[in-house]
Amino acid sequence: MITIENLTKIYSPKEGPAVDDFSLEIKNGEILGFVGLNGAGKSTTIRISAGITLPTSGDVYINGKSITKEKIEASRNVGWVPEIPNYEMNAKPIPLMKYFAGYYGLPNDQEEKNIRELLTEVGLWEYRDKKLRTYSQGMKKRFSLAESLIGDPDNLMFDETLNGLDPEGVQFVRQLIVDQKKKGKAILLSSHILSEIEAVSDRIAIIHHGKLVKILDRAELNALGREKIVMEIDNFDERALGLISKYGEVKETGNDIVLTSLKIEKKNYPEIMSTLVPLGYKVRKFEPSGESLEEFFFNIIGDN
Amino acid sequence: MKPVFYEIERSLTSKFSIVMIVAIIGLSALISYEGGALSSARSVRGGGVSEVSGYYTNGNNLTLISYFYDINGNPDKVRVNASLNNTLYPGSEISAGLYEFQIPIQSPVSIINLNYSYNQFGFTSSNMAAVTVNTATQNSSGLSIVPGILESSNSSNLGFLLFYVGAKGNHTSPPINVYVGPISGEKFNISSFIANYTWKNQYSNFTYLTIFPNLGAAAIGKSYAVLVDSNTSSTQHIYKPIGPLSTFTPYTASAIESSFFSTEGSLLILFIPLLAVFMAYFTYGKDRVTGVLESVIKRPITKGEAIRSRFLANSVVVSASIVVAIVVSDLISYRYFHVYMPFSFMLYVSWAYSIVGISFVAISYFFSHLLKSQGALLGSLIGIFMVFSLFWSVIFDVLVSVFSIPSGTSTYVTFQVAFNYASPAGYSSLVQLYITHTLGGFASFSGGSQSINPLAYGVTPILLLISGILWVAVPFIIAHQLAVKRD
């Protein structure tokens, strides 16, 4: 379990806090999607949780151990997969993983067994004799996944890990994340690919300007967001705009008129048609639908 | 695997480290070799292989016996052929250094050429000697005396070699008396000589024998002769002038120490900081500024342990390189001078150059936490190396010129000592001053041969210890605190 408590990080007093009194809990056996714009504070939160960056105040607890005060015990139970894998590029995977494994105090035979299994699992075993500098970006990410699991940590954090992966890579990482969840691990998944987040997350935390804006649980995700109606109306004019504005916010997108923030109940949608058609407006399209996570995200970010 | 072993291996096996370590050890070895091979000290076991030959005949068959020896008269292994009238006769080794040739002869006087080659310090050298055999007068050569044999540990160069080949292959000498005494002029009077000899001894049953009579300082500057007679007959005399005797001081540990600072020391003071700075950059600084170190810090390790572990690995490799270079240099030096560096001296210089190297590692770690880009860091470290190691002597020279401090004065020495204290690269010069009472290294004192009392200039063991520890500890502790307290 990862518990983030009142975390604040100020890089420079001249700028605002990168993370501002942020609290969050990722439970065992849960995937928590972590979304926010660039600079929202996602990576800072993850880097602090991984023990890389020091918080200005607050703390992160990994299985109850403080990452700042009990770093060794805390780090033993957290794996971090960064967005850009960054290793000693002249190294070969096995010696480097043995070096990393050395920090977890594994017996030699266990160490070798783990390394073989992990490299096989991520599909790099046949490339084990090649230096990391010869690996493609995707292979480096796979290596990053493998080395993050070397100590079999209870908690995992993926920071934009899906970026730059081909569809097969995305599918592979998604499956790996789901498999780790099934083992009862707490997983923090940060990504810009909101559809992936939506697909695998049990909850989603939205961060903006360093603050936690919203946490969506699975039920909310399933019935995500506010309803909208997409219409196509011939001869749409100011009068028509005035007529439908009383039902919600009107946005024109190409030929489409999108009605959001609806002020009318679903059962009364035909009333909109009844208002327009008698006045000679031809409604070619009338499509009520739910809001996507992306739309919801931008709406809520906009609200903040 | 213990992470620190990986870090030591990484420090040791990066391409730059390999090149630098090979350069440090290889150049130290070459400098020692050069120092030994070119030394004029008479204790040096340099020079080539010489020969002395004797013979006996049986009808028209000549048996030539040759003894091959080094400058100290010790037997040497060679590959040798004898040739007479363009016919080659291979030699067979009958014992160490002794080779025998069976040669049919047509005339009483023959000139036999010996072509021999030998290995010396890994190289093959060839030589040729002409042996004149006159069987008309003697059917065996008997006793030969070869002067100019050096004994490495003696205080005299009056060594000589006796070599005996008797009739019918009897290679052991009959009992003989050997006299050594002064001679003057070219006239040699046996009875007078025997009456005034200063050294005598009896020998028998040898084929070859090296003798180093200890005549003492009273014999310096005088010519001596060696005379041999049979102690069973008063009619057989053979003499050969040797000398004059000149006493020499054997190559001492003190000479080795001074030589070390002026040769290997100059090399180490250039290469060790270079190795240290770049090793620290490649294994720590670069990893830190590029974020590679994060792949380690995320493990169950504190940031303090991460920096300490790499610093330890770098320090071990730098110190080990220094120790190996010094030991290799000492072994090669011993090959020529027969004197090992005193163990205490090896400890002192290992300590001194290790402090120099580790200080540069520590300073590099410190700068790794001040700068955030690879280029800025690398540039700064090269600058540190150039200022503290390369141009420190230039800065010193400029300053003494600006302040018009005359060379060789007490002020000059004080200033130089202060300057050495002010640079990590100057530490070895301070240790040199403490050990040899001379100043050298990167800012050599123009009156370098003048003895300086180190204590009078603040070069004491305590201050040296404190200075060394401070040069290592201060930059490293600051780097350590920055690593722990800052992102």
Side-chain angles (χ1 to χ4, degrees):
Chain A
M1 186 166 72
I2 302 172
T3 309
I4 301 169
E5 276 187 9
N6 306 112
L7 197 66
T8 297
K9 176 65 185 181
I10 300 169
Y11 285 109
S12 163
K14 294 174 190 168
E15 298 164 6
V19 178
D20 189 4
D21 198 23
F22 183 90
S23 297
L24 188 66
E25 188 173 271
I26 302 110
K27 301 181 184 79
N28 292 340
E30 174 188 52
I31 298 173
L32 187 130
F34 198 32
V35 297
L37 297 174
N38 286 336
K42 302 186 300 293
S43 291
T44 298
T45 303
I46 290 175
R47 288 169 64 81
I48 292 171
S49 304
I52 304 297
T53 302
L54 296 169
T56 305
S57 65
D59 209 340
V60 176
Y61 297 90
I62 309 292
N63 290 1
K65 302 287 182 186
S66 161
I67 195 72
T68 56
K69 299 180 187 70
E70 301 159 288
K71 165 85 171 54
I72 292 174
E73 293 84 351
S75 291
R76 195 176 296 283
N77 279 308
V78 65
W80 168 49
V81 184
E83 179 180 5
I84 300 167
N86 200 357
Y87 301 102
E88 179 200 335
M89 288 298 160
N90 278 323
K92 291 181 180 176
I94 292 178
L96 193 58
M97 284 187 75
K98 281 189 175 181
Y99 168 49
F100 292 151
Y103 288 109
Y104 297 90
L106 300 174
N108 276 353
D109 51 346
Q110 184 67 42
E111 188 177 283
E112 287 181 11
K113 182 171 170 281
N114 284 8
I115 290 169
R116 187 186 180 105
E117 283 176 0
L118 287 168
L119 287 179
T120 304
E121 189 179 346
V122 299
L124 291 179
W125 181 249
E126 60 184 299
Y127 304 103
R128 63 189 179 280
D129 293 326
K130 296 201 177 297
K131 288 185 175 179
L132 293 181
R133 68 164 61 253
T134 65
Y135 280 21
S136 68
Q137 195 60 23
M139 290 164 83
K140 284 174 190 163
K141 285 221 165 166
R142 284 169 184 260
F143 177 74
S144 182
L145 290 167
E147 61 86 2
S148 297
L149 295 168
I150 187 70
D152 194 23
D154 295 339
N155 307 279
L156 288 165
M157 298 185 295
F158 297 87
D159 188 4
E160 306 290 359
T161 307
L162 301 172
N163 280 9
L165 289 176
D166 59 20
E168 191 214 347
V170 170
Q171 190 182 22
F172 171 79
V173 175
R174 186 201 304 141
Q175 190 55 50
L176 185 140
I177 289 170
V178 171
D179 289 346
Q180 293 298 318
K181 176 198 164 180
K182 286 176 184 166
K183 291 179 183 174
K185 298 186 179 184
I187 292 164
L188 180 61
L189 173 63
S190 157
S191 175
H192 285 133
I193 306 175
L194 296 181
S195 57
E196 283 298 328
I197 291 269
E198 196 176 352
V200 300
S201 299
D202 298 299
R203 290 190 298 154
I204 293 176
I206 298 173
I207 183 172
H208 191 54
H209 291 317
K211 284 183 174 295
L212 181 64
V213 175
K214 174 85 176 169
I215 296 180
L216 296 167
D217 61 22
R218 193 67 249 178
E220 289 172 295
L221 281 169
N222 289 339
L224 186 65
R226 291 161 286 187
E227 192 92 344
K228 66 176 180 179
I229 300 168
V230 180
M231 296 180 285
E232 195 178 327
I233 304 169
D234 284 352
N235 305 320
F236 186 74
D237 56 13
E238 288 295 320
R239 188 171 66 141
L241 176 65
L243 288 169
I244 62 171
S245 291
K246 62 183 178 185
Y247 300 115
E249 286 178 21
V250 182
K251 291 176 188 168
E252 289 186 59
T253 311
N255 291 331
D256 288 345
I257 308 298
V258 182
L259 203 56
T260 60
S261 304
L262 298 175
K263 298 168 188 168
I264 182 171
E265 287 185 31
K266 197 168 187 174
K267 61 181 181 181
N268 296 328
Y269 285 173
E271 185 186 321
I272 300 171
M273 297 286 279
S274 306
T275 305
L276 291 170
V277 173
L279 295 174
Y281 293 103
K282 191 172 183 181
V283 180
R284 293 180 175 278
K285 183 162 76 177
F286 189 91
E287 293 175 356
S289 68
E291 209 172 22
S292 69
L293 173 62
E294 186 172 287
E295 287 164 324
F296 178 81
F297 172 72
F298 283 113
N299 276 328
I300 202 161
I301 293 301
D303 292 346
N304 285 272
Chain B
M1 175 194 271
K2 287 272 182 198
V4 72
F5 293 141
Y6 178 88
E7 282 160 1
I8 289 173
E9 185 188 334
R10 187 182 170 209
S11 300
L12 199 58
T13 56
S14 79
K15 282 177 189 160
F16 186 84
S17 296
I18 291 171
V19 168
M20 290 305 301
I21 291 167
V22 167
I24 288 168
I25 296 171
L27 288 174
S28 288
L30 278 176
I31 285 175
S32 288
Y33 172 63
E34 183 202 15
L38 299 182
S39 174
S40 57
R42 286 196 300 274
S43 58
V44 172
R45 194 198 287 170
V49 172
S50 304
E51 64 81 39
V52 56
S53 297
Y55 67 91
Y56 66 91
T57 57
N58 185 7
N60 287 332
N61 290 324
L62 175 86
T63 301
L64 185 72
I65 312 284
S66 295
Y67 174 59
F68 293 87
Y69 59 92
D70 65 13
I71 201 161
N72 302 125
N74 300 311
D76 259 334
K77 193 168 185 66
V78 297
R79 294 170 295 283
V80 59
N81 279 311
S83 69
L84 177 64
N85 301 328
N86 296 322
T87 304
L88 287 179
Y89 300 95
S92 58
E93 187 175 11
I94 53 178
S95 64
L98 277 175
Y99 292 80
E100 186 179 275
F101 307 87
Q102 300 296 336
I103 304 171
I105 50 171
Q106 314 297 326
S107 60
V109 178
S110 305
I111 298 176
I112 300 167
N113 290 318
L114 290 175
N115 296 296
Y116 60 97
S117 60
Y118 51 93
N119 292 330
Q120 191 171 41
F121 206 68
F123 298 98
T124 299
S125 299
S126 297
N127 211 342
M128 194 183 81
V131 180
T132 302
V133 174
N134 186 348
T135 55
T137 52
Q138 298 172 254
N139 62 3
S140 67
S141 58
L143 186 72
S144 303
I145 302 176
V146 182
I149 305 298
L150 304 181
E151 187 188 18
S152 57
S153 60
N154 201 359
S155 60
S156 164
N157 69 343
L158 265 181
F160 51 92
L161 172 71
L162 302 181
F163 180 62
Y164 181 81
V165 179
K168 298 178 184 174
N170 176 10
H171 299 328
T172 56
S173 157
I176 57 170
N177 296 313
V178 178
Y179 302 86
V180 174
I183 53 170
S184 56
E186 292 185 0
K187 286 189 175 178
F188 185 80
N189 183 300
I190 291 174
S191 54
S192 165
F193 182 83
I194 289 180
N196 294 303
Y197 72 85
T198 51
W199 185 92
K200 178 190 174 187
N201 215 336
Q202 294 183 345
Y203 300 98
S204 62
N205 294 321
F206 63 87
T207 301
Y208 61 85
L209 182 69
T210 48
I211 297 170
F212 303 99
N214 189 359
L215 303 176
I220 293 171
K222 294 175 185 167
S223 289
Y224 274 73
V226 57
L227 182 143
V228 177
D229 69 10
S230 165
N231 69 355
T232 57
S233 162
S234 60
T235 57
Q236 297 173 14
H237 299 289
I238 180 170
Y239 83 94
K240 211 156 211 178
I242 55 174
L245 171 70
S246 61
T247 303
F248 67 94
T249 306
Y251 212 74
T252 60
S254 169
I256 288 274
E257 291 169 6
S258 296
S259 166
F260 177 86
F261 282 114
S262 63
T263 53
E264 284 94 331
S266 310
L267 171 88
L268 291 177
I269 205 60
L270 178 69
F271 280 85
I272 290 296
L274 199 58
L275 168 69
V277 160
F278 280 93
M279 184 188 291
Y281 170 73
F282 283 118
T283 61
Y284 186 77
K286 189 178 167 193
D287 281 6
R288 208 198 90 75
V289 295
T290 58
V292 169
L293 202 59
E294 290 176 0
S295 66
V296 176
I297 294 172
K298 70 177 184 177
R299 314 286 159 194
I301 182 177
T302 62
K303 289 180 178 178
E305 283 169 333
I307 186 174
R308 289 199 299 273
S309 170
R310 297 221 169 180
F311 183 72
L312 175 67
N314 287 171
S315 303
V316 165
V317 172
V318 167
S319 298
S321 307
I322 291 164
V323 170
V324 171
I326 292 172
V327 169
V328 167
S329 164
D330 191 33
L331 291 175
I332 292 173
S333 205
Y334 181 79
R335 164 76 173 69
Y336 291 96
F337 298 111
H338 310 279
V339 181
Y340 284 117
M341 283 181 201
F343 184 66
S344 58
F345 177 76
M346 291 181 82
L347 283 182
Y348 284 137
V349 290
S350 298
W351 159 267
Y353 288 100
S354 294
I355 289 290
V356 171
I358 297 169
S359 300
F360 274 95
V361 171
I363 292 169
S364 305
Y365 274 49
F366 169 60
F367 273 80
S368 301
H369 283 274
L370 290 185
L371 301 165
K372 295 195 184 301
S373 82
Q374 261 183 277
L377 177 59
L378 186 58
S380 301
L381 297 184
I382 291 171
I384 288 164
F385 166 71
M386 292 181 84
V387 169
F388 280 128
S389 194
L390 280 186
F391 295 137
W392 202 242
S393 60
V394 177
I395 298 168
F396 173 78
D397 289 341
V398 169
L399 288 177
V400 292
S401 298
V402 167
F403 292 109
S404 304
I405 301 170
S407 173
T409 62
S410 172
T411 310
Y412 184 94
V413 178
T414 304
F415 195 52
Q416 193 176 7
V417 167
F419 228 68
N420 281 324
Y421 269 123
S423 163
Y427 191 75
S428 60
S429 291
L430 296 173
V431 172
Q432 176 186 359
L433 174 60
Y434 180 72
I435 296 174
T436 66
H437 292 203
T438 57
L439 261 171
F442 71 90
S444 73
F445 174 47
S446 60
S449 57
Q450 181 183 324
S451 180
I452 301 167
N453 177 11
L455 304 181
Y457 292 95
V459 182
T460 64
I462 291 293
L463 283 178
L464 280 176
L465 187 67
I466 292 171
S467 163
I469 290 172
L470 285 180
W471 266 117
V472 172
V474 170
F476 178 70
I477 288 172
I478 295 173
H480 186 275
Q481 289 307 102
L482 290 175
V484 171
K485 304 283 185 197
R486 287 197 347 182
D487 291 329

